[in-house]
Amino acid sequence: MTVRQSRYSKEEFARRGDEIYESQVRSQVEEGNHGKIVAIDIETGAFEVDESEVAACNRLEARYPDAQIWIIRVGSRHVRRFGGRTKQSV
């Protein structure tokens, strides 16, 4: 397994990923893909959509072996949720 080195700071990585998603990808994936994962190469703008993070990333890496991948969930600010949720009383 090859370990990839990030070429960007965390802040720059996130900025580029969010910018590409909002300006190029969102309009193409939003309809019919709610909850799915989008893996975006922040250098080329190429992306893959799948239910699975691993599958989306693997397909993107097959096309761009040195991809710098940003992951986002369609329709959500978060890819994953940590911790429990509290029930709201009715």
Side-chain angles (χ1 to χ4, degrees):
M1 182 166 108
T2 304
V3 176
R4 238 178 241 107
Q5 293 288 60
S6 179
R7 295 185 281 276
Y8 304 93
S9 68
K10 291 178 186 178
E11 296 79 15
E12 178 66 6
F13 203 93
R15 185 195 68 74
R16 289 175 72 121
D18 285 340
E19 182 179 296
I20 291 169
Y21 180 74
E22 291 298 330
S23 66
Q24 299 173 31
V25 177
R26 184 180 194 161
S27 63
Q28 297 180 58
V29 300
E30 210 165 51
E31 190 174 322
N33 290 306
H34 187 79
K36 290 185 180 178
I37 296 294
V38 181
I40 303 168
D41 179 0
I42 65 167
E43 294 183 323
T44 65
F47 66 92
E48 290 288 339
V49 180
D50 202 283
E51 294 283 341
S52 160
E53 292 173 48
V54 174
C57 290
N58 285 345
R59 283 200 314 272
L60 188 56
E61 287 175 330
R63 292 173 40 211
Y64 298 92
D66 200 29
Q68 297 288 297
I69 300 175
W70 177 252
I71 300 171
I72 192 163
R73 185 176 299 278
V74 177
S76 176
R77 295 180 330 162
H78 311 288
V79 173
R80 292 185 199 94
R81 180 182 297 245
F82 294 98
R85 289 191 254 176
T86 59
K87 281 189 167 182
Q88 294 181 355
S89 59
V90 178

